[in-house]
Amino acid sequence: MIPLRSVQTAGGEVAVILRRSDRAVGYVKDGVLQTLIDARGHNLAPHVNAAVDVLLQEKVRQALVLGYGGGAASTMLHRAGVDVFAVDCDPCAKPLAQLFFRAPPCLDVVVSDAAAYVEWAAATSFDGVLIDFQDSIETPKAYLSQSFWRAVARVLRPRGMAVVNVTPWLHGGPDWRTFQGALGLGGFDAVALSDEHGAGNRILVTVRGAAAT
């Protein structure tokens, strides 16, 4: 791997790397690869393709992306005609995504903690949300919190869809049952979990319950 850029943020180190074998470019947060594109700008992370495909199949028109990273998912949704609003805790995410990952400058990216953002965002603003901000082997506290999932449900329209990137550390770790319980008590139902994609990531798809507030 060839290092291209390194930025120290409040949440840890963000690095952009170039893979020697095929010239693919990666966005890495604290040692965890979050985005990988080829020399033509095409996404190389299978779980990202799977998540975007689900949202497009359901004809989502306004999508919230919690965890922008290198911007691969947001860029794919935008190019498919979806109105995308993204959130990332690192101020460097948007400029790095534009410089190295071919993300369009017009994408809206707010610098904020994801859990804090959904607490004050306008209700029923989106018909789909992509959640992907686990950037270490430690499960984000928000994932285990009923209040976080209630806030996510609140910003979704009735029967709105949430798609979550489930890392192998979450699915195979001690937090899995707590995560499932928080999700259900937070107002989501009809959960479906995919098989493994690529490096073991899975896609969890769930729908805001009719009674969620």
mmCIF file of all heavy atoms in Angstrom, residues 157-210:
data_model
loop_
_atom_site.group_PDB
_atom_site.id
_atom_site.type_symbol
_atom_site.label_atom_id
_atom_site.label_comp_id
_atom_site.label_asym_id
_atom_site.label_seq_id
_atom_site.Cartn_x
_atom_site.Cartn_y
_atom_site.Cartn_z
ATOM 1 N N ARG A 157 -39.992 8.631 6.814
ATOM 2 C CA ARG A 157 -41.425 8.629 6.554
ATOM 3 C C ARG A 157 -42.012 7.267 6.933
ATOM 4 O O ARG A 157 -41.265 6.286 7.042
ATOM 5 C CB ARG A 157 -41.678 8.945 5.075
ATOM 6 C CG ARG A 157 -41.151 10.328 4.689
ATOM 7 C CD ARG A 157 -41.449 10.704 3.264
ATOM 8 N NE ARG A 157 -40.930 12.043 3.006
ATOM 9 C CZ ARG A 157 -39.872 12.310 2.240
ATOM 10 N NH1 ARG A 157 -39.233 11.335 1.628
ATOM 11 N NH2 ARG A 157 -39.450 13.554 2.079
ATOM 12 N N PRO A 158 -43.314 7.172 7.162
ATOM 13 C CA PRO A 158 -43.914 5.878 7.510
ATOM 14 C C PRO A 158 -43.531 4.797 6.507
ATOM 15 O O PRO A 158 -43.567 5.017 5.297
ATOM 16 C CB PRO A 158 -45.424 6.180 7.475
ATOM 17 C CG PRO A 158 -45.503 7.633 7.826
ATOM 18 C CD PRO A 158 -44.300 8.268 7.180
ATOM 19 N N ARG A 159 -43.130 3.656 7.037
ATOM 20 C CA ARG A 159 -42.650 2.505 6.271
ATOM 21 C C ARG A 159 -41.343 2.798 5.548
ATOM 22 O O ARG A 159 -40.940 2.069 4.638
ATOM 23 C CB ARG A 159 -43.688 1.986 5.273
ATOM 24 C CG ARG A 159 -45.061 1.719 5.882
ATOM 25 C CD ARG A 159 -44.992 0.806 7.089
ATOM 26 N NE ARG A 159 -44.506 -0.532 6.757
ATOM 27 C CZ ARG A 159 -44.253 -1.473 7.665
ATOM 28 N NH1 ARG A 159 -44.380 -1.201 8.962
ATOM 29 N NH2 ARG A 159 -43.833 -2.653 7.299
ATOM 30 N N GLY A 160 -40.638 3.862 5.973
ATOM 31 C CA GLY A 160 -39.328 4.155 5.419
ATOM 32 C C GLY A 160 -38.323 3.064 5.764
ATOM 33 O O GLY A 160 -38.457 2.367 6.774
ATOM 34 N N MET A 161 -37.308 2.919 4.947
ATOM 35 C CA MET A 161 -36.364 1.803 5.063
ATOM 36 C C MET A 161 -35.027 2.241 5.639
ATOM 37 O O MET A 161 -34.489 3.293 5.266
ATOM 38 C CB MET A 161 -36.134 1.190 3.677
ATOM 39 C CG MET A 161 -35.038 0.137 3.624
ATOM 40 S SD MET A 161 -34.876 -0.577 1.975
ATOM 41 C CE MET A 161 -36.407 -1.523 1.910
ATOM 42 N N ALA A 162 -34.495 1.429 6.538
ATOM 43 C CA ALA A 162 -33.136 1.613 7.041
ATOM 44 C C ALA A 162 -32.289 0.436 6.583
ATOM 45 O O ALA A 162 -32.694 -0.722 6.714
ATOM 46 C CB ALA A 162 -33.130 1.699 8.567
ATOM 47 N N VAL A 163 -31.121 0.736 6.023
ATOM 48 C CA VAL A 163 -30.169 -0.282 5.590
ATOM 49 C C VAL A 163 -28.891 -0.072 6.401
ATOM 50 O O VAL A 163 -28.332 1.026 6.406
ATOM 51 C CB VAL A 163 -29.880 -0.171 4.080
ATOM 52 C CG1 VAL A 163 -28.861 -1.223 3.648
ATOM 53 C CG2 VAL A 163 -31.161 -0.316 3.278
ATOM 54 N N VAL A 164 -28.454 -1.118 7.083
ATOM 55 C CA VAL A 164 -27.310 -1.017 7.993
ATOM 56 C C VAL A 164 -26.190 -1.930 7.519
ATOM 57 O O VAL A 164 -26.422 -3.114 7.237
ATOM 58 C CB VAL A 164 -27.708 -1.410 9.437
ATOM 59 C CG1 VAL A 164 -26.554 -1.136 10.410
ATOM 60 C CG2 VAL A 164 -28.976 -0.673 9.871
ATOM 61 N N ASN A 165 -24.966 -1.386 7.434
ATOM 62 C CA ASN A 165 -23.799 -2.216 7.193
ATOM 63 C C ASN A 165 -23.438 -2.905 8.505
ATOM 64 O O ASN A 165 -23.068 -2.249 9.478
ATOM 65 C CB ASN A 165 -22.627 -1.380 6.690
ATOM 66 C CG ASN A 165 -21.338 -2.182 6.607
ATOM 67 O OD1 ASN A 165 -21.357 -3.397 6.370
ATOM 68 N ND2 ASN A 165 -20.212 -1.525 6.808
ATOM 69 N N VAL A 166 -23.542 -4.229 8.530
ATOM 70 C CA VAL A 166 -23.224 -5.007 9.732
ATOM 71 C C VAL A 166 -21.841 -5.634 9.544
ATOM 72 O O VAL A 166 -21.652 -6.493 8.683
ATOM 73 C CB VAL A 166 -24.282 -6.101 9.974
ATOM 74 C CG1 VAL A 166 -23.882 -6.983 11.158
ATOM 75 C CG2 VAL A 166 -25.645 -5.466 10.222
ATOM 76 N N THR A 167 -20.891 -5.164 10.322
ATOM 77 C CA THR A 167 -19.536 -5.693 10.220
ATOM 78 C C THR A 167 -19.457 -7.075 10.852
ATOM 79 O O THR A 167 -20.299 -7.444 11.692
ATOM 80 C CB THR A 167 -18.535 -4.776 10.935
ATOM 81 O OG1 THR A 167 -18.807 -4.809 12.351
ATOM 82 C CG2 THR A 167 -18.628 -3.335 10.431
ATOM 83 N N PRO A 168 -18.434 -7.865 10.496
ATOM 84 C CA PRO A 168 -18.276 -9.163 11.154
ATOM 85 C C PRO A 168 -18.032 -9.035 12.647
ATOM 86 O O PRO A 168 -18.368 -9.933 13.422
ATOM 87 C CB PRO A 168 -17.072 -9.792 10.433
ATOM 88 C CG PRO A 168 -16.402 -8.675 9.715
ATOM 89 C CD PRO A 168 -17.451 -7.656 9.419
ATOM 90 N N TRP A 169 -17.470 -7.900 13.082
ATOM 91 C CA TRP A 169 -17.229 -7.692 14.520
ATOM 92 C C TRP A 169 -18.540 -7.532 15.271
ATOM 93 O O TRP A 169 -18.671 -7.965 16.406
ATOM 94 C CB TRP A 169 -16.357 -6.447 14.739
ATOM 95 C CG TRP A 169 -15.137 -6.416 13.882
ATOM 96 C CD1 TRP A 169 -14.165 -7.391 13.800
ATOM 97 C CD2 TRP A 169 -14.755 -5.401 12.975
ATOM 98 N NE1 TRP A 169 -13.207 -7.025 12.901
ATOM 99 C CE2 TRP A 169 -13.541 -5.805 12.363
ATOM 100 C CE3 TRP A 169 -15.310 -4.184 12.601
ATOM 101 C CZ2 TRP A 169 -12.874 -5.027 11.420
ATOM 102 C CZ3 TRP A 169 -14.653 -3.411 11.662
ATOM 103 C CH2 TRP A 169 -13.451 -3.843 11.087
ATOM 104 N N LEU A 170 -19.522 -6.884 14.623
ATOM 105 C CA LEU A 170 -20.819 -6.728 15.274
ATOM 106 C C LEU A 170 -21.600 -8.041 15.239
ATOM 107 O O LEU A 170 -22.085 -8.510 16.268
ATOM 108 C CB LEU A 170 -21.627 -5.612 14.592
ATOM 109 C CG LEU A 170 -23.073 -5.418 15.062
ATOM 110 C CD1 LEU A 170 -23.135 -5.159 16.563
ATOM 111 C CD2 LEU A 170 -23.728 -4.269 14.289
ATOM 112 N N HIS A 171 -21.710 -8.634 14.065
ATOM 113 C CA HIS A 171 -22.525 -9.841 13.926
ATOM 114 C C HIS A 171 -21.966 -11.001 14.737
ATOM 115 O O HIS A 171 -22.722 -11.794 15.302
ATOM 116 C CB HIS A 171 -22.637 -10.235 12.451
ATOM 117 C CG HIS A 171 -23.528 -11.407 12.226
ATOM 118 N ND1 HIS A 171 -23.059 -12.683 11.976
ATOM 119 C CD2 HIS A 171 -24.887 -11.508 12.229
ATOM 120 C CE1 HIS A 171 -24.069 -13.501 11.837
ATOM 121 N NE2 HIS A 171 -25.194 -12.818 11.973
ATOM 122 N N GLY A 172 -20.661 -11.119 14.806
ATOM 123 C CA GLY A 172 -20.059 -12.241 15.516
ATOM 124 C C GLY A 172 -19.624 -11.926 16.930
ATOM 125 O O GLY A 172 -19.009 -12.762 17.599
ATOM 126 N N GLY A 173 -19.950 -10.729 17.406
ATOM 127 C CA GLY A 173 -19.473 -10.294 18.718
ATOM 128 C C GLY A 173 -20.536 -10.315 19.795
ATOM 129 O O GLY A 173 -21.699 -10.676 19.562
ATOM 130 N N PRO A 174 -20.172 -9.882 20.993
ATOM 131 C CA PRO A 174 -21.082 -9.944 22.141
ATOM 132 C C PRO A 174 -22.218 -8.922 22.103
ATOM 133 O O PRO A 174 -23.161 -9.023 22.886
ATOM 134 C CB PRO A 174 -20.149 -9.662 23.330
ATOM 135 C CG PRO A 174 -19.027 -8.845 22.750
ATOM 136 C CD PRO A 174 -18.831 -9.368 21.365
ATOM 137 N N ASP A 175 -22.138 -7.929 21.200
ATOM 138 C CA ASP A 175 -23.151 -6.877 21.168
ATOM 139 C C ASP A 175 -24.335 -7.187 20.249
ATOM 140 O O ASP A 175 -25.286 -6.402 20.172
ATOM 141 C CB ASP A 175 -22.521 -5.549 20.695
ATOM 142 C CG ASP A 175 -21.495 -5.012 21.673
ATOM 143 O OD1 ASP A 175 -21.688 -5.200 22.887
ATOM 144 O OD2 ASP A 175 -20.505 -4.414 21.218
ATOM 145 N N TRP A 176 -24.290 -8.316 19.559
ATOM 146 C CA TRP A 176 -25.289 -8.579 18.529
ATOM 147 C C TRP A 176 -26.719 -8.612 19.075
ATOM 148 O O TRP A 176 -27.624 -7.981 18.530
ATOM 149 C CB TRP A 176 -24.960 -9.881 17.813
ATOM 150 C CG TRP A 176 -25.929 -10.249 16.720
ATOM 151 C CD1 TRP A 176 -26.695 -11.370 16.651
ATOM 152 C CD2 TRP A 176 -26.238 -9.505 15.532
ATOM 153 N NE1 TRP A 176 -27.466 -11.375 15.502
ATOM 154 C CE2 TRP A 176 -27.198 -10.236 14.806
ATOM 155 C CE3 TRP A 176 -25.796 -8.284 15.033
ATOM 156 C CZ2 TRP A 176 -27.724 -9.788 13.600
ATOM 157 C CZ3 TRP A 176 -26.334 -7.832 13.822
ATOM 158 C CH2 TRP A 176 -27.271 -8.586 13.129
ATOM 159 N N ARG A 177 -26.929 -9.326 20.167
ATOM 160 C CA ARG A 177 -28.292 -9.423 20.712
ATOM 161 C C ARG A 177 -28.782 -8.070 21.238
ATOM 162 O O ARG A 177 -29.956 -7.719 21.074
ATOM 163 C CB ARG A 177 -28.344 -10.481 21.816
ATOM 164 C CG ARG A 177 -28.222 -11.916 21.295
ATOM 165 C CD ARG A 177 -28.493 -12.934 22.393
ATOM 166 N NE ARG A 177 -28.381 -14.292 21.907
ATOM 167 C CZ ARG A 177 -29.345 -14.943 21.272
ATOM 168 N NH1 ARG A 177 -30.500 -14.345 21.068
ATOM 169 N NH2 ARG A 177 -29.161 -16.184 20.857
ATOM 170 N N THR A 178 -27.890 -7.315 21.853
ATOM 171 C CA THR A 178 -28.272 -5.991 22.346
ATOM 172 C C THR A 178 -28.644 -5.081 21.185
ATOM 173 O O THR A 178 -29.612 -4.318 21.243
ATOM 174 C CB THR A 178 -27.120 -5.371 23.150
ATOM 175 O OG1 THR A 178 -26.745 -6.251 24.206
ATOM 176 C CG2 THR A 178 -27.519 -4.027 23.735
ATOM 177 N N PHE A 179 -27.880 -5.150 20.117
ATOM 178 C CA PHE A 179 -28.159 -4.383 18.905
ATOM 179 C C PHE A 179 -29.541 -4.737 18.355
ATOM 180 O O PHE A 179 -30.351 -3.850 18.040
ATOM 181 C CB PHE A 179 -27.074 -4.672 17.868
ATOM 182 C CG PHE A 179 -27.412 -4.228 16.477
ATOM 183 C CD1 PHE A 179 -27.360 -2.894 16.114
ATOM 184 C CD2 PHE A 179 -27.782 -5.161 15.512
ATOM 185 C CE1 PHE A 179 -27.669 -2.491 14.818
ATOM 186 C CE2 PHE A 179 -28.091 -4.773 14.223
ATOM 187 C CZ PHE A 179 -28.034 -3.432 13.870
ATOM 188 N N GLN A 180 -29.840 -6.028 18.238
ATOM 189 C CA GLN A 180 -31.133 -6.454 17.713
ATOM 190 C C GLN A 180 -32.278 -5.957 18.594
ATOM 191 O O GLN A 180 -33.314 -5.508 18.090
ATOM 192 C CB GLN A 180 -31.178 -7.975 17.618
ATOM 193 C CG GLN A 180 -30.294 -8.576 16.540
ATOM 194 C CD GLN A 180 -30.368 -10.089 16.540
ATOM 195 O OE1 GLN A 180 -29.945 -10.743 17.501
ATOM 196 N NE2 GLN A 180 -30.904 -10.662 15.477
ATOM 197 N N GLY A 181 -32.085 -6.042 19.911
ATOM 198 C CA GLY A 181 -33.123 -5.594 20.828
ATOM 199 C C GLY A 181 -33.366 -4.104 20.729
ATOM 200 O O GLY A 181 -34.520 -3.647 20.708
ATOM 201 N N ALA A 182 -32.287 -3.316 20.641
ATOM 202 C CA ALA A 182 -32.422 -1.861 20.541
ATOM 203 C C ALA A 182 -33.120 -1.469 19.248
ATOM 204 O O ALA A 182 -33.959 -0.564 19.221
ATOM 205 C CB ALA A 182 -31.045 -1.206 20.621
ATOM 206 N N LEU A 183 -32.813 -2.170 18.168
ATOM 207 C CA LEU A 183 -33.423 -1.898 16.875
ATOM 208 C C LEU A 183 -34.939 -2.117 16.939
ATOM 209 O O LEU A 183 -35.726 -1.272 16.501
ATOM 210 C CB LEU A 183 -32.793 -2.804 15.823
ATOM 211 C CG LEU A 183 -33.135 -2.568 14.356
ATOM 212 C CD1 LEU A 183 -32.565 -1.231 13.887
ATOM 213 C CD2 LEU A 183 -32.579 -3.700 13.501
ATOM 214 N N GLY A 184 -35.351 -3.238 17.510
ATOM 215 C CA GLY A 184 -36.771 -3.541 17.616
ATOM 216 C C GLY A 184 -37.509 -2.580 18.520
ATOM 217 O O GLY A 184 -38.594 -2.084 18.178
ATOM 218 N N LEU A 185 -36.932 -2.295 19.688
ATOM 219 C CA LEU A 185 -37.571 -1.384 20.625
ATOM 220 C C LEU A 185 -37.541 0.056 20.133
ATOM 221 O O LEU A 185 -38.312 0.892 20.589
ATOM 222 C CB LEU A 185 -36.883 -1.481 21.993
ATOM 223 C CG LEU A 185 -37.090 -2.814 22.730
ATOM 224 C CD1 LEU A 185 -36.190 -2.891 23.960
ATOM 225 C CD2 LEU A 185 -38.547 -2.994 23.120
ATOM 226 N N GLY A 186 -36.653 0.327 19.179
ATOM 227 C CA GLY A 186 -36.564 1.670 18.611
ATOM 228 C C GLY A 186 -37.582 1.949 17.523
ATOM 229 O O GLY A 186 -37.630 3.057 16.988
ATOM 230 N N GLY A 187 -38.390 0.955 17.165
ATOM 231 C CA GLY A 187 -39.481 1.209 16.222
ATOM 232 C C GLY A 187 -39.318 0.586 14.859
ATOM 233 O O GLY A 187 -40.031 0.975 13.917
ATOM 234 N N PHE A 188 -38.411 -0.409 14.728
ATOM 235 C CA PHE A 188 -38.210 -1.047 13.433
ATOM 236 C C PHE A 188 -38.659 -2.503 13.482
ATOM 237 O O PHE A 188 -38.532 -3.181 14.495
ATOM 238 C CB PHE A 188 -36.741 -0.969 13.015
ATOM 239 C CG PHE A 188 -36.312 0.407 12.590
ATOM 240 C CD1 PHE A 188 -35.800 1.296 13.510
ATOM 241 C CD2 PHE A 188 -36.467 0.815 11.275
ATOM 242 C CE1 PHE A 188 -35.414 2.577 13.132
ATOM 243 C CE2 PHE A 188 -36.092 2.092 10.875
ATOM 244 C CZ PHE A 188 -35.560 2.975 11.809
ATOM 245 N N ASP A 189 -39.171 -2.972 12.334
ATOM 246 C CA ASP A 189 -39.595 -4.362 12.251
ATOM 247 C C ASP A 189 -39.260 -4.912 10.865
ATOM 248 O O ASP A 189 -38.615 -4.241 10.054
ATOM 249 C CB ASP A 189 -41.081 -4.517 12.568
ATOM 250 C CG ASP A 189 -41.965 -3.624 11.707
ATOM 251 O OD1 ASP A 189 -41.564 -3.275 10.571
ATOM 252 O OD2 ASP A 189 -43.056 -3.271 12.164
ATOM 253 N N ALA A 190 -39.683 -6.147 10.601
ATOM 254 C CA ALA A 190 -39.442 -6.799 9.304
ATOM 255 C C ALA A 190 -37.964 -6.816 8.958
ATOM 256 O O ALA A 190 -37.548 -6.403 7.881
ATOM 257 C CB ALA A 190 -40.241 -6.113 8.205
ATOM 258 N N VAL A 191 -37.151 -7.303 9.886
ATOM 259 C CA VAL A 191 -35.698 -7.312 9.695
ATOM 260 C C VAL A 191 -35.281 -8.453 8.776
ATOM 261 O O VAL A 191 -35.742 -9.586 8.916
ATOM 262 C CB VAL A 191 -34.977 -7.440 11.054
ATOM 263 C CG1 VAL A 191 -33.481 -7.614 10.852
ATOM 264 C CG2 VAL A 191 -35.258 -6.217 11.917
ATOM 265 N N ALA A 192 -34.390 -8.150 7.823
ATOM 266 C CA ALA A 192 -33.785 -9.169 6.969
ATOM 267 C C ALA A 192 -32.281 -8.968 6.970
ATOM 268 O O ALA A 192 -31.798 -7.829 6.889
ATOM 269 C CB ALA A 192 -34.321 -9.069 5.545
ATOM 270 N N LEU A 193 -31.517 -10.046 7.088
ATOM 271 C CA LEU A 193 -30.063 -9.973 7.137
ATOM 272 C C LEU A 193 -29.491 -10.778 5.977
ATOM 273 O O LEU A 193 -29.839 -11.950 5.782
ATOM 274 C CB LEU A 193 -29.542 -10.530 8.465
ATOM 275 C CG LEU A 193 -28.039 -10.429 8.707
ATOM 276 C CD1 LEU A 193 -27.615 -8.965 8.850
ATOM 277 C CD2 LEU A 193 -27.646 -11.209 9.965
ATOM 278 N N SER A 194 -28.604 -10.159 5.207
ATOM 279 C CA SER A 194 -28.035 -10.815 4.033
ATOM 280 C C SER A 194 -26.948 -11.812 4.421
ATOM 281 O O SER A 194 -26.484 -11.856 5.563
ATOM 282 C CB SER A 194 -27.425 -9.767 3.091
ATOM 283 O OG SER A 194 -26.186 -9.297 3.606
ATOM 284 N N ASP A 195 -26.523 -12.600 3.440
ATOM 285 C CA ASP A 195 -25.317 -13.395 3.594
ATOM 286 C C ASP A 195 -24.109 -12.458 3.586
ATOM 287 O O ASP A 195 -24.231 -11.252 3.345
ATOM 288 C CB ASP A 195 -25.196 -14.402 2.450
ATOM 289 C CG ASP A 195 -26.286 -15.469 2.497
ATOM 290 O OD1 ASP A 195 -26.752 -15.779 3.612
ATOM 291 O OD2 ASP A 195 -26.664 -15.971 1.424
ATOM 292 N N GLU A 196 -22.925 -13.012 3.804
ATOM 293 C CA GLU A 196 -21.716 -12.203 3.850
ATOM 294 C C GLU A 196 -21.356 -11.669 2.459
ATOM 295 O O GLU A 196 -21.536 -12.340 1.451
ATOM 296 C CB GLU A 196 -20.545 -13.025 4.387
ATOM 297 C CG GLU A 196 -20.682 -13.404 5.853
ATOM 298 C CD GLU A 196 -19.460 -14.131 6.375
ATOM 299 O OE1 GLU A 196 -18.490 -14.305 5.598
ATOM 300 O OE2 GLU A 196 -19.462 -14.522 7.551
ATOM 301 N N HIS A 197 -20.856 -10.444 2.462
ATOM 302 C CA HIS A 197 -20.348 -9.820 1.243
ATOM 303 C C HIS A 197 -18.866 -9.516 1.445
ATOM 304 O O HIS A 197 -18.480 -8.918 2.453
ATOM 305 C CB HIS A 197 -21.074 -8.506 0.944
ATOM 306 C CG HIS A 197 -22.522 -8.666 0.630
ATOM 307 N ND1 HIS A 197 -22.980 -9.044 -0.613
ATOM 308 C CD2 HIS A 197 -23.624 -8.500 1.408
ATOM 309 C CE1 HIS A 197 -24.296 -9.093 -0.602
ATOM 310 N NE2 HIS A 197 -24.724 -8.769 0.610
ATOM 311 N N GLY A 198 -18.037 -9.884 0.492
ATOM 312 C CA GLY A 198 -16.633 -9.496 0.534
ATOM 313 C C GLY A 198 -15.927 -9.942 1.787
ATOM 314 O O GLY A 198 -15.776 -11.131 2.052
ATOM 315 N N ALA A 199 -15.513 -8.985 2.617
ATOM 316 C CA ALA A 199 -14.712 -9.256 3.811
ATOM 317 C C ALA A 199 -15.557 -9.669 5.008
ATOM 318 O O ALA A 199 -15.087 -9.593 6.144
ATOM 319 C CB ALA A 199 -13.878 -8.029 4.162
ATOM 320 N N GLY A 200 -16.771 -10.109 4.786
ATOM 321 C CA GLY A 200 -17.606 -10.591 5.883
ATOM 322 C C GLY A 200 -18.717 -9.655 6.285
ATOM 323 O O GLY A 200 -19.521 -9.980 7.161
ATOM 324 N N ASN A 201 -18.812 -8.484 5.659
ATOM 325 C CA ASN A 201 -19.888 -7.556 5.975
ATOM 326 C C ASN A 201 -21.226 -8.105 5.490
ATOM 327 O O ASN A 201 -21.299 -8.781 4.470
ATOM 328 C CB ASN A 201 -19.641 -6.200 5.316
ATOM 329 C CG ASN A 201 -18.396 -5.517 5.837
ATOM 330 O OD1 ASN A 201 -17.295 -6.023 5.658
ATOM 331 N ND2 ASN A 201 -18.554 -4.378 6.464
ATOM 332 N N ARG A 202 -22.271 -7.796 6.224
ATOM 333 C CA ARG A 202 -23.636 -8.163 5.855
ATOM 334 C C ARG A 202 -24.481 -6.901 5.764
ATOM 335 O O ARG A 202 -24.137 -5.867 6.352
ATOM 336 C CB ARG A 202 -24.246 -9.115 6.888
ATOM 337 C CG ARG A 202 -23.478 -10.424 7.076
ATOM 338 C CD ARG A 202 -23.984 -11.175 8.294
ATOM 339 N NE ARG A 202 -23.165 -12.336 8.592
ATOM 340 C CZ ARG A 202 -23.453 -13.577 8.230
ATOM 341 N NH1 ARG A 202 -24.573 -13.825 7.569
ATOM 342 N NH2 ARG A 202 -22.659 -14.575 8.539
ATOM 343 N N ILE A 203 -25.587 -6.998 5.074
ATOM 344 C CA ILE A 203 -26.518 -5.881 4.961
ATOM 345 C C ILE A 203 -27.797 -6.239 5.710
ATOM 346 O O ILE A 203 -28.431 -7.254 5.419
ATOM 347 C CB ILE A 203 -26.828 -5.571 3.490
ATOM 348 C CG1 ILE A 203 -25.565 -5.115 2.761
ATOM 349 C CG2 ILE A 203 -27.910 -4.501 3.378
ATOM 350 C CD1 ILE A 203 -24.919 -3.886 3.345
ATOM 351 N N LEU A 204 -28.139 -5.408 6.673
ATOM 352 C CA LEU A 204 -29.385 -5.577 7.410
ATOM 353 C C LEU A 204 -30.392 -4.571 6.871
ATOM 354 O O LEU A 204 -30.093 -3.377 6.761
ATOM 355 C CB LEU A 204 -29.157 -5.369 8.903
ATOM 356 C CG LEU A 204 -30.369 -5.586 9.816
ATOM 357 C CD1 LEU A 204 -29.931 -6.167 11.162
ATOM 358 C CD2 LEU A 204 -31.130 -4.277 10.064
ATOM 359 N N VAL A 205 -31.570 -5.061 6.511
ATOM 360 C CA VAL A 205 -32.629 -4.203 5.973
ATOM 361 C C VAL A 205 -33.817 -4.266 6.919
ATOM 362 O O VAL A 205 -34.282 -5.355 7.285
ATOM 363 C CB VAL A 205 -33.055 -4.669 4.570
ATOM 364 C CG1 VAL A 205 -34.160 -3.770 4.013
ATOM 365 C CG2 VAL A 205 -31.852 -4.692 3.623
ATOM 366 N N THR A 206 -34.312 -3.115 7.327
ATOM 367 C CA THR A 206 -35.432 -3.074 8.245
ATOM 368 C C THR A 206 -36.329 -1.886 7.896
ATOM 369 O O THR A 206 -35.904 -0.955 7.211
ATOM 370 C CB THR A 206 -34.937 -2.975 9.709
ATOM 371 O OG1 THR A 206 -36.039 -3.060 10.607
ATOM 372 C CG2 THR A 206 -34.173 -1.690 9.957
ATOM 373 N N VAL A 207 -37.554 -1.933 8.352
ATOM 374 C CA VAL A 207 -38.558 -0.942 7.966
ATOM 375 C C VAL A 207 -39.120 -0.260 9.209
ATOM 376 O O VAL A 207 -39.364 -0.913 10.245
ATOM 377 C CB VAL A 207 -39.705 -1.612 7.175
ATOM 378 C CG1 VAL A 207 -40.789 -0.595 6.824
ATOM 379 C CG2 VAL A 207 -39.156 -2.253 5.911
ATOM 380 N N ARG A 208 -39.314 1.032 9.117
ATOM 381 C CA ARG A 208 -39.930 1.774 10.213
ATOM 382 C C ARG A 208 -41.342 1.260 10.440
ATOM 383 O O ARG A 208 -42.159 1.211 9.526
ATOM 384 C CB ARG A 208 -39.981 3.268 9.870
ATOM 385 C CG ARG A 208 -40.681 4.118 10.924
ATOM 386 C CD ARG A 208 -40.794 5.543 10.429
ATOM 387 N NE ARG A 208 -41.334 6.427 11.460
ATOM 388 C CZ ARG A 208 -42.506 7.025 11.390
ATOM 389 N NH1 ARG A 208 -43.285 6.811 10.340
ATOM 390 N NH2 ARG A 208 -42.914 7.834 12.338
ATOM 391 N N GLY A 209 -41.621 0.858 11.662
ATOM 392 C CA GLY A 209 -42.950 0.370 11.997
ATOM 393 C C GLY A 209 -43.991 1.462 11.891
ATOM 394 O O GLY A 209 -43.714 2.650 12.064
ATOM 395 N N ALA A 210 -45.208 1.053 11.600
ATOM 396 C CA ALA A 210 -46.290 2.029 11.414
ATOM 397 C C ALA A 210 -46.550 2.829 12.676
ATOM 398 O O ALA A 210 -46.995 3.977 12.607
ATOM 399 C CB ALA A 210 -47.557 1.309 10.970
#
